[in-house]
Amino acid sequence: MDLSAVTAARWVERWECQQQRYAVDREERFTVIADVVEQATCGRRNPLLLDLGSGPGALAARLAERLPAAEVVAVDADPLLLELGRAHYGAGARARLRHVRSLIGEPGWLDALGLRRPVDAAVSTTALHYLDRDTLAGVYRDLAERLSPGGVFVNGDHIRPDSPAIRDLAVDLGRRHAERNLAFTHEDWQSWWKGAAADPELAPYLTLRDTGCHPPCADADLPVSTHVALLHEAGFREAGTVWQYGDSRVLAAVR
């Protein structure tokens, strides 16, 4: 049975709220990522965009709204989050948005997306930090191979400065910012999943979750210089920071 739009809307709203805890200025980060993608795909007809580790697809939906001629693929390993996204975001102006299940970094993960042409832009936000260095390097290589010349990869995540002292300052800035802006939400990751488990309408999708749904969180905590080096090694000609607040950073790389 398909998930009702009312139920999906309620749980997506709660998801958006609890995610505010884990990304400083999340909406601003989304806007910056969309700005970079719009600039990079200017002049391209019907660009193909990927949102990696999309969850329900908040960023993918914003890209679909910003670039209505684009085809947007939201990629995640979690069947519940993908179904919430399909039910909530899958109609109207977002008809060119589709949700696909794939475990990022697994051998052949890009093949599961059914791509029939080069990718113009790939984005991610607060999703790739769980990958260990070798897996992340492989993902960067996979993306470089599939991106069209001049295509971009844009990643918004917790990416620390190289200096340990500056990193400590950056983390503290992010913590203070979060504390000032969390008065509106009392939910976190654990309480969201606990609530979802108690909703009988979500039960069929929760049963599809298994131990392979998410890989173990390596939390490699790689500094920005390592990300840039891995991107260059993968085949990107330019890479660097385009936005930052504390240790929350948007990193862009050009193929």
Side-chain angles (χ1 to χ4, degrees):
M1 183 177 69
D2 291 338
L3 191 64
S4 74
V6 173
T7 296
R10 181 173 70 254
W11 283 104
V12 168
E13 182 180 0
R14 287 180 62 171
W15 176 268
E16 293 269 293
C17 190
Q18 59 94 359
Q19 283 288 293
Q20 300 288 343
R21 289 179 173 271
Y22 307 107
V24 175
D25 281 347
R26 186 167 179 258
E27 283 299 328
E28 177 67 15
R29 184 197 279 182
F30 281 171
T31 299
V32 169
I33 293 173
D35 285 345
V36 174
V37 170
E38 185 175 38
Q39 173 65 24
T41 60
C42 182
R44 301 189 184 207
R45 295 185 60 188
N46 309 121
L48 174 59
L49 316 178
L50 306 182
D51 178 11
L52 309 180
S54 62
L59 177 55
R62 286 160 174 78
L63 290 172
E65 293 282 2
R66 175 78 76 91
L67 301 168
E71 176 186 356
V72 185
V73 183
V75 185
D76 203 276
D78 194 297
L80 172 59
L81 299 182
L82 289 171
E83 184 57 32
L84 288 173
R86 291 189 190 102
H88 184 62
Y89 294 122
R94 306 185 182 99
R96 296 177 63 86
L97 167 61
R98 62 188 179 97
H99 292 71
V100 180
R101 188 179 183 186
S102 183
L103 182 58
I104 298 165
E106 187 178 53
W109 70 275
L110 271 172
D111 296 332
L113 309 187
L115 306 178
R116 293 182 291 274
R117 57 193 174 104
V119 176
D120 296 291
V123 305
S124 186
T125 183
T126 322
L128 301 184
H129 56 267
Y130 65 82
L131 300 178
D132 61 61
R133 178 180 175 140
D134 290 343
T135 303
L136 183 65
V139 169
Y140 286 168
R141 288 194 298 271
D142 292 340
L143 291 174
E145 290 173 1
R146 296 298 183 100
L147 280 165
S148 59
V152 295
F153 167 61
V154 194
N155 185 24
D157 211 334
H158 305 292
I159 303 175
R160 65 177 175 88
D162 287 273
S163 163
I166 299 301
R167 180 209 186 245
D168 290 345
L169 290 173
V171 170
D172 186 65
L173 281 174
R175 178 187 60 79
R176 290 171 182 266
H177 186 283
E179 289 174 351
R180 288 193 296 268
N181 290 278
L182 283 178
F184 59 88
T185 176
H186 300 288
E187 188 156 53
D188 59 14
W189 174 272
Q190 289 79 12
S191 63
W192 188 93
W193 283 104
K194 183 178 180 180
D199 188 330
E201 195 171 348
L202 303 186
Y205 308 100
L206 286 166
T207 60
L208 297 175
R209 304 182 85 241
D210 53 38
T211 56
C213 183
H214 293 291
C217 184
D219 195 16
D221 193 26
L222 301 175
V224 63
S225 63
T226 300
H227 282 273
V228 170
L230 291 177
L231 287 163
H232 283 308
E233 291 170 10
F236 290 88
R237 58 182 171 89
E238 301 286 349
T241 300
V242 294
W243 178 89
Q244 181 183 1
Y245 191 108
D247 67 339
S248 180
R249 186 186 303 262
V250 175
L251 193 65
V254 182
R255 180 68 175 95

